[in-house]
Amino acid sequence: MGAAILSLCALALASAELTEKLHFTDIAEPSGIRAVMRCGGPEKRWIPEANGSGTAWLDYDNDGLPDLLIVNGGNMEQLRKIVGGDKVLPVEGGVYLYHNEGNGHFVDVTEKAGLANPYWGTGANAADYNNDGFTDILITTIGLDLLYKNNGNGTFTEVSKVAGLRQKAEWHTGSAFGDFDGDGHLDLFVASYLDLHDLSFKEPAPVCEYFGQHVFCGPLGLKGGRNVLYHNNGNGTFSDITEHSGIAEAPPAHGFTAVAGDFNGDGKLDLFVANDSDPNFLFLNQSNGTFKETALDRGVAYNADGRTQSNMGVAIGEYGRSGHLDVLTTVFNKDYFPLFRQGPSGVYEESAASVGLATATMKYLGWACGLTDFDNSGKRDFWTANGHVYPTDKDYNEPITIFRSLGNRTELVYQYPVKPNNSYRGGAAADFNNDGKVDLLVLPIAGLPVLLRNDTLDKNNWLGLQLRGTRSNRDAIGATVTVESCGQKQSDAVRSGGSYLSRNDWRLHFGVGPCRQVDRVTIQWPTGKMQTINSLPLNRYVTIEEPK
């Protein structure tokens, strides 16, 4: 009994140390990031006004520093024109591109770069879709999706029509690039939230009830959208293969965040889609140009209670040091964030309750999220950006939170304090200053972004990897990396999509704690080729090119 009490005390002391250890400083405004976020009016009378938008980290000029893309929403007058088929012009602040100067400061280069957004922006993504060595930009919208080709000189050209993307206004949300057929070119999946043409935005706004509050209606009762899959033709254009690929066989759903990754370990890229108030989708790659929706069979459609949840954001990886491929989603409050943990058979088990995550997350309404090692301990924490959708709710403004796995329980180890307008939506993690400590950029539904610089004090070591495909797609999306150091093993993969309509740092980051060397790094490239590297320098970013 005494030993048990001592053990509990030690655990409590360790937990207290961890809570004090993580430290962040909001430097958005002094760093030059002064984007003014908007998403309809303050009263949120229509569902588009509640969902917010995303952000993406990218190195568009190849200087080794993460630059920042922020996508913004719009107003109801603009939305009515979009739905009605009227001509809409770019509006100021529809999108922001910030160049990282490398001294803790960012410069707004949106106009100089040639970026503009006439629509209601939703999602942000980036990838080198044409393998020319420069990262391109995708903005999903309520309207027409915008594909900006990087010209290699600091400017972009909007090419969505020329590239073959749909030219009919739709409500698109999350996106994911991936080479689904292994031809070395990145294909594109785009999720859809609602059937835009089944909606009316005429006054008066419809009113529904939520625990005695009069609120906007949806998504339940509103017709869901249909996802889209494009095949990359290898010549700068895409072909719509939604029907042929089997993606169209899935029923309409309220899709938010998409992730491309290998969810069954067969070396082929699959697709996971977090659906709001519908069962999630897991499209498994059948290796013949088609996909099969298998979320129910694989255990990721519902939570452990067999209930549908309002899934918003997605985090993929190891929660703590689980040794499993974990899938976590953020959901509505008065519910819990589920943890889908992969078993030996490839089937997932929803186990949030057994690790204490269910209790820890019940009171939050989550959006952006990720699995990140903030203190380079070798264990990944679960971060979430939170905020209610109804301004009349007392919990409308919620904190940014970080949760840590402590064996069979989960503890809140960091909380960015609640402030006015802190109803958060999109967000992404990146080591923007290349100091080896991963930082966070989070967008509110209105007002100024938050850039949390990681000022955590620790003496732990880390390894940063940037993979470059040669035979594979240049971004190496689909590559899996295993790092072995001091008897510990951890894995991660280059994925596209995730968080909430956002893009995290494209580089892989591994904390190795006090370990002073990496014993082995094993890379499985998207082509299936295995590469083993016996040692790599720590505490720096290393670029590894796929053997030709």
Side-chain angles (χ1 to χ4, degrees), residues 256-297:
F256 265 141
T257 303
V259 182
D262 183 2
F263 291 93
N264 60 352
D266 65 353
K268 302 291 183 181
L269 276 183
D270 313 301
L271 284 160
F272 178 87
V273 184
N275 289 326
D276 180 8
S277 304
D278 301 298
N280 296 318
F281 288 151
L282 178 59
F283 296 103
L284 289 186
N285 193 329
Q286 303 298 293
S287 303
N288 60 2
T290 67
F291 291 80
K292 183 180 180 181
E293 203 291 291
T294 63
L296 181 59
D297 295 338

Short mmCIF file of all heavy atoms in Angstrom, two decimals, residues 256-297:
data_model
loop_
_atom_site.label_atom_id
_atom_site.label_comp_id
_atom_site.label_asym_id
_atom_site.label_seq_id
_atom_site.Cartn_x
_atom_site.Cartn_y
_atom_site.Cartn_z
N PHE A 256 -15.46 17.28 -43.31
CA PHE A 256 -14.59 18.38 -42.91
C PHE A 256 -13.14 18.10 -43.33
O PHE A 256 -12.70 18.52 -44.38
CB PHE A 256 -14.67 18.62 -41.41
CG PHE A 256 -15.66 19.69 -41.00
CD1 PHE A 256 -16.44 19.55 -39.87
CD2 PHE A 256 -15.79 20.85 -41.74
CE1 PHE A 256 -17.34 20.55 -39.48
CE2 PHE A 256 -16.69 21.86 -41.37
CZ PHE A 256 -17.46 21.69 -40.24
N THR A 257 -12.42 17.37 -42.50
CA THR A 257 -10.98 17.24 -42.69
C THR A 257 -10.63 15.90 -43.33
O THR A 257 -11.14 14.86 -42.91
CB THR A 257 -10.25 17.38 -41.35
OG1 THR A 257 -10.60 18.64 -40.77
CG2 THR A 257 -8.75 17.32 -41.54
N ALA A 258 -9.74 15.94 -44.33
CA ALA A 258 -9.29 14.74 -45.02
C ALA A 258 -7.80 14.53 -44.76
O ALA A 258 -7.05 15.49 -44.61
CB ALA A 258 -9.55 14.85 -46.52
N VAL A 259 -7.39 13.25 -44.73
CA VAL A 259 -5.97 12.90 -44.57
C VAL A 259 -5.64 11.75 -45.51
O VAL A 259 -6.37 10.76 -45.57
CB VAL A 259 -5.64 12.46 -43.12
CG1 VAL A 259 -4.15 12.14 -42.99
CG2 VAL A 259 -6.04 13.51 -42.12
N ALA A 260 -4.54 11.90 -46.24
CA ALA A 260 -4.01 10.81 -47.06
C ALA A 260 -2.92 10.10 -46.27
O ALA A 260 -1.96 10.73 -45.82
CB ALA A 260 -3.46 11.35 -48.37
N GLY A 261 -3.06 8.79 -46.09
CA GLY A 261 -2.08 8.01 -45.35
C GLY A 261 -2.31 6.53 -45.58
O GLY A 261 -3.35 6.13 -46.12
N ASP A 262 -1.36 5.72 -45.17
CA ASP A 262 -1.49 4.26 -45.31
C ASP A 262 -2.11 3.72 -44.03
O ASP A 262 -1.43 3.49 -43.04
CB ASP A 262 -0.12 3.64 -45.55
CG ASP A 262 -0.20 2.13 -45.79
OD1 ASP A 262 -1.31 1.59 -45.81
OD2 ASP A 262 0.87 1.52 -45.94
N PHE A 263 -3.40 3.49 -44.05
CA PHE A 263 -4.13 3.12 -42.84
C PHE A 263 -4.23 1.61 -42.62
O PHE A 263 -4.73 1.17 -41.59
CB PHE A 263 -5.53 3.74 -42.84
CG PHE A 263 -5.51 5.24 -42.68
CD1 PHE A 263 -5.50 6.07 -43.78
CD2 PHE A 263 -5.47 5.81 -41.42
CE1 PHE A 263 -5.47 7.45 -43.64
CE2 PHE A 263 -5.42 7.18 -41.26
CZ PHE A 263 -5.42 8.01 -42.38
N ASN A 264 -3.79 0.80 -43.58
CA ASN A 264 -3.82 -0.65 -43.38
C ASN A 264 -2.46 -1.30 -43.61
O ASN A 264 -2.35 -2.52 -43.64
CB ASN A 264 -4.88 -1.31 -44.26
CG ASN A 264 -4.64 -1.07 -45.74
OD1 ASN A 264 -3.76 -0.29 -46.12
ND2 ASN A 264 -5.42 -1.71 -46.58
N GLY A 265 -1.41 -0.49 -43.79
CA GLY A 265 -0.06 -1.02 -43.86
C GLY A 265 0.29 -1.81 -45.09
O GLY A 265 1.22 -2.62 -45.07
N ASP A 266 -0.42 -1.57 -46.21
CA ASP A 266 -0.12 -2.32 -47.42
C ASP A 266 0.76 -1.54 -48.39
O ASP A 266 1.01 -1.99 -49.52
CB ASP A 266 -1.41 -2.75 -48.12
CG ASP A 266 -2.23 -1.58 -48.66
OD1 ASP A 266 -1.87 -0.41 -48.37
OD2 ASP A 266 -3.23 -1.82 -49.34
N GLY A 267 1.24 -0.36 -47.96
CA GLY A 267 2.12 0.42 -48.82
C GLY A 267 1.40 1.31 -49.80
O GLY A 267 2.04 2.00 -50.60
N LYS A 268 0.07 1.33 -49.76
CA LYS A 268 -0.72 2.16 -50.66
C LYS A 268 -1.40 3.27 -49.86
O LYS A 268 -1.85 3.05 -48.73
CB LYS A 268 -1.80 1.33 -51.38
CG LYS A 268 -1.25 0.17 -52.20
CD LYS A 268 -0.48 0.65 -53.41
CE LYS A 268 0.01 -0.51 -54.27
NZ LYS A 268 0.78 -0.07 -55.44
N LEU A 269 -1.49 4.45 -50.46
CA LEU A 269 -2.13 5.57 -49.77
C LEU A 269 -3.65 5.43 -49.78
O LEU A 269 -4.26 5.21 -50.83
CB LEU A 269 -1.74 6.89 -50.43
CG LEU A 269 -0.42 7.53 -50.00
CD1 LEU A 269 -0.24 8.87 -50.69
CD2 LEU A 269 -0.34 7.70 -48.49
N ASP A 270 -4.23 5.58 -48.60
CA ASP A 270 -5.68 5.56 -48.42
C ASP A 270 -6.15 6.96 -48.03
O ASP A 270 -5.36 7.89 -47.95
CB ASP A 270 -6.04 4.54 -47.31
CG ASP A 270 -5.33 3.22 -47.49
OD1 ASP A 270 -5.53 2.59 -48.55
OD2 ASP A 270 -4.58 2.81 -46.58
N LEU A 271 -7.45 7.07 -47.74
CA LEU A 271 -8.03 8.38 -47.39
C LEU A 271 -8.95 8.23 -46.19
O LEU A 271 -9.85 7.38 -46.17
CB LEU A 271 -8.83 8.94 -48.57
CG LEU A 271 -8.00 9.54 -49.70
CD1 LEU A 271 -8.83 9.61 -50.98
CD2 LEU A 271 -7.49 10.92 -49.33
N PHE A 272 -8.74 9.07 -45.18
CA PHE A 272 -9.65 9.16 -44.04
C PHE A 272 -10.33 10.52 -44.09
O PHE A 272 -9.67 11.54 -44.35
CB PHE A 272 -8.88 9.02 -42.72
CG PHE A 272 -9.75 9.15 -41.50
CD1 PHE A 272 -10.41 8.05 -40.97
CD2 PHE A 272 -9.92 10.39 -40.89
CE1 PHE A 272 -11.22 8.18 -39.85
CE2 PHE A 272 -10.72 10.54 -39.77
CZ PHE A 272 -11.37 9.43 -39.25
N VAL A 273 -11.64 10.54 -43.85
CA VAL A 273 -12.40 11.79 -43.85
C VAL A 273 -13.20 11.88 -42.55
O VAL A 273 -13.97 10.99 -42.22
CB VAL A 273 -13.36 11.89 -45.05
CG1 VAL A 273 -14.04 13.26 -45.06
CG2 VAL A 273 -12.63 11.65 -46.36
N ALA A 274 -12.98 12.97 -41.80
CA ALA A 274 -13.76 13.25 -40.60
C ALA A 274 -15.06 13.91 -41.00
O ALA A 274 -15.06 14.99 -41.59
CB ALA A 274 -12.97 14.16 -39.66
N ASN A 275 -16.17 13.27 -40.69
CA ASN A 275 -17.49 13.77 -41.05
C ASN A 275 -18.22 14.33 -39.85
O ASN A 275 -18.20 13.74 -38.77
CB ASN A 275 -18.33 12.66 -41.69
CG ASN A 275 -17.83 12.28 -43.07
OD1 ASN A 275 -17.35 13.13 -43.82
ND2 ASN A 275 -17.95 11.01 -43.43
N ASP A 276 -18.88 15.45 -40.05
CA ASP A 276 -19.61 16.14 -39.00
C ASP A 276 -21.03 15.58 -38.92
O ASP A 276 -21.84 15.79 -39.82
CB ASP A 276 -19.64 17.64 -39.31
CG ASP A 276 -20.37 18.46 -38.27
OD1 ASP A 276 -20.73 17.91 -37.21
OD2 ASP A 276 -20.58 19.66 -38.51
N SER A 277 -21.32 14.85 -37.83
CA SER A 277 -22.65 14.28 -37.58
C SER A 277 -22.99 13.13 -38.51
O SER A 277 -24.15 12.73 -38.61
CB SER A 277 -23.74 15.36 -37.66
OG SER A 277 -23.47 16.41 -36.77
N ASP A 278 -22.00 12.58 -39.19
CA ASP A 278 -22.15 11.37 -40.00
C ASP A 278 -21.02 10.42 -39.62
O ASP A 278 -20.00 10.85 -39.07
CB ASP A 278 -22.03 11.68 -41.51
CG ASP A 278 -23.06 12.67 -41.99
OD1 ASP A 278 -24.25 12.36 -41.89
OD2 ASP A 278 -22.67 13.77 -42.45
N PRO A 279 -21.16 9.13 -39.93
CA PRO A 279 -20.02 8.22 -39.73
C PRO A 279 -18.82 8.69 -40.55
O PRO A 279 -18.98 9.19 -41.67
CB PRO A 279 -20.55 6.87 -40.23
CG PRO A 279 -22.04 6.99 -40.20
CD PRO A 279 -22.34 8.43 -40.46
N ASN A 280 -17.63 8.54 -40.00
CA ASN A 280 -16.43 8.87 -40.75
C ASN A 280 -16.28 7.96 -41.96
O ASN A 280 -16.87 6.88 -42.02
CB ASN A 280 -15.19 8.73 -39.85
CG ASN A 280 -15.18 9.70 -38.70
OD1 ASN A 280 -15.52 10.87 -38.87
ND2 ASN A 280 -14.78 9.25 -37.53
N PHE A 281 -15.44 8.38 -42.91
CA PHE A 281 -15.13 7.56 -44.08
C PHE A 281 -13.67 7.10 -43.99
O PHE A 281 -12.78 7.86 -43.60
CB PHE A 281 -15.29 8.34 -45.38
CG PHE A 281 -16.71 8.65 -45.77
CD1 PHE A 281 -17.00 9.78 -46.52
CD2 PHE A 281 -17.75 7.81 -45.42
CE1 PHE A 281 -18.30 10.07 -46.89
CE2 PHE A 281 -19.07 8.09 -45.79
CZ PHE A 281 -19.34 9.23 -46.52
N LEU A 282 -13.43 5.85 -44.38
CA LEU A 282 -12.07 5.35 -44.61
C LEU A 282 -12.06 4.66 -45.97
O LEU A 282 -12.61 3.57 -46.13
CB LEU A 282 -11.64 4.37 -43.52
CG LEU A 282 -10.24 3.76 -43.71
CD1 LEU A 282 -9.17 4.85 -43.76
CD2 LEU A 282 -9.92 2.76 -42.61
N PHE A 283 -11.49 5.35 -46.95
CA PHE A 283 -11.41 4.81 -48.30
C PHE A 283 -10.09 4.06 -48.45
O PHE A 283 -9.02 4.68 -48.51
CB PHE A 283 -11.49 5.94 -49.34
CG PHE A 283 -12.80 6.68 -49.36
CD1 PHE A 283 -12.90 7.94 -48.77
CD2 PHE A 283 -13.92 6.14 -49.96
CE1 PHE A 283 -14.09 8.64 -48.80
CE2 PHE A 283 -15.13 6.82 -49.98
CZ PHE A 283 -15.22 8.08 -49.40
N LEU A 284 -10.16 2.73 -48.52
CA LEU A 284 -8.95 1.93 -48.68
C LEU A 284 -8.63 1.76 -50.16
O LEU A 284 -9.50 1.43 -50.98
CB LEU A 284 -9.11 0.57 -48.02
CG LEU A 284 -9.12 0.55 -46.49
CD1 LEU A 284 -9.13 -0.89 -45.99
CD2 LEU A 284 -7.91 1.30 -45.91
N ASN A 285 -7.36 1.97 -50.49
CA ASN A 285 -6.86 1.87 -51.85
C ASN A 285 -6.83 0.40 -52.28
O ASN A 285 -6.18 -0.43 -51.64
CB ASN A 285 -5.44 2.47 -51.90
CG ASN A 285 -4.95 2.71 -53.29
OD1 ASN A 285 -5.30 2.00 -54.23
ND2 ASN A 285 -4.09 3.70 -53.44
N GLN A 286 -7.54 0.08 -53.36
CA GLN A 286 -7.64 -1.30 -53.83
C GLN A 286 -6.54 -1.67 -54.83
O GLN A 286 -6.54 -2.77 -55.39
CB GLN A 286 -9.01 -1.53 -54.47
CG GLN A 286 -10.19 -1.24 -53.55
CD GLN A 286 -10.18 -2.13 -52.33
OE1 GLN A 286 -10.36 -3.35 -52.43
NE2 GLN A 286 -9.96 -1.55 -51.15
N SER A 287 -5.60 -0.76 -55.05
CA SER A 287 -4.43 -0.99 -55.93
C SER A 287 -4.79 -1.20 -57.40
O SER A 287 -3.97 -1.68 -58.18
CB SER A 287 -3.63 -2.21 -55.43
OG SER A 287 -3.22 -2.04 -54.09
N ASN A 288 -6.01 -0.84 -57.77
CA ASN A 288 -6.42 -0.98 -59.18
C ASN A 288 -7.10 0.28 -59.68
O ASN A 288 -7.88 0.23 -60.63
CB ASN A 288 -7.34 -2.19 -59.34
CG ASN A 288 -8.61 -2.08 -58.50
OD1 ASN A 288 -8.82 -1.07 -57.81
ND2 ASN A 288 -9.46 -3.09 -58.54
N GLY A 289 -6.81 1.39 -59.02
CA GLY A 289 -7.43 2.66 -59.41
C GLY A 289 -8.74 2.93 -58.73
O GLY A 289 -9.39 3.94 -59.02
N THR A 290 -9.16 2.05 -57.81
CA THR A 290 -10.43 2.24 -57.12
C THR A 290 -10.22 2.21 -55.61
O THR A 290 -9.19 1.75 -55.11
CB THR A 290 -11.45 1.16 -57.50
OG1 THR A 290 -11.02 -0.11 -57.00
CG2 THR A 290 -11.64 1.10 -59.01
N PHE A 291 -11.23 2.71 -54.89
CA PHE A 291 -11.23 2.73 -53.44
C PHE A 291 -12.50 2.06 -52.91
O PHE A 291 -13.54 2.07 -53.58
CB PHE A 291 -11.18 4.18 -52.92
CG PHE A 291 -9.89 4.89 -53.17
CD1 PHE A 291 -9.61 5.44 -54.41
CD2 PHE A 291 -8.94 5.00 -52.17
CE1 PHE A 291 -8.42 6.10 -54.65
CE2 PHE A 291 -7.74 5.66 -52.40
CZ PHE A 291 -7.48 6.21 -53.64
N LYS A 292 -12.39 1.52 -51.70
CA LYS A 292 -13.55 0.92 -51.04
C LYS A 292 -13.72 1.58 -49.68
O LYS A 292 -12.77 1.67 -48.90
CB LYS A 292 -13.35 -0.59 -50.86
CG LYS A 292 -14.55 -1.29 -50.23
CD LYS A 292 -14.29 -2.79 -50.09
CE LYS A 292 -15.49 -3.50 -49.45
NZ LYS A 292 -15.24 -4.95 -49.29
N GLU A 293 -14.94 2.05 -49.40
CA GLU A 293 -15.21 2.70 -48.11
C GLU A 293 -15.39 1.63 -47.05
O GLU A 293 -16.29 0.80 -47.13
CB GLU A 293 -16.46 3.57 -48.23
CG GLU A 293 -16.52 4.70 -47.19
CD GLU A 293 -16.73 4.21 -45.78
OE1 GLU A 293 -17.82 3.71 -45.48
OE2 GLU A 293 -15.77 4.30 -44.97
N THR A 294 -14.50 1.63 -46.02
CA THR A 294 -14.44 0.52 -45.05
C THR A 294 -14.44 0.99 -43.60
O THR A 294 -14.01 0.25 -42.71
CB THR A 294 -13.17 -0.31 -45.29
OG1 THR A 294 -12.02 0.53 -45.07
CG2 THR A 294 -13.12 -0.85 -46.72
N ALA A 295 -14.89 2.21 -43.33
CA ALA A 295 -14.78 2.76 -41.98
C ALA A 295 -15.47 1.89 -40.94
O ALA A 295 -14.93 1.68 -39.83
CB ALA A 295 -15.35 4.17 -41.94
N LEU A 296 -16.63 1.35 -41.25
CA LEU A 296 -17.35 0.50 -40.29
C LEU A 296 -16.59 -0.78 -40.04
O LEU A 296 -16.40 -1.20 -38.88
CB LEU A 296 -18.75 0.21 -40.81
CG LEU A 296 -19.64 -0.66 -39.91
CD1 LEU A 296 -19.83 0.01 -38.55
CD2 LEU A 296 -20.99 -0.92 -40.56
N ASP A 297 -16.12 -1.43 -41.09
CA ASP A 297 -15.39 -2.68 -40.95
C ASP A 297 -14.08 -2.49 -40.20
O ASP A 297 -13.64 -3.37 -39.45
CB ASP A 297 -15.09 -3.29 -42.32
CG ASP A 297 -16.34 -3.71 -43.07
OD1 ASP A 297 -17.37 -3.93 -42.40
OD2 ASP A 297 -16.30 -3.82 -44.30
#
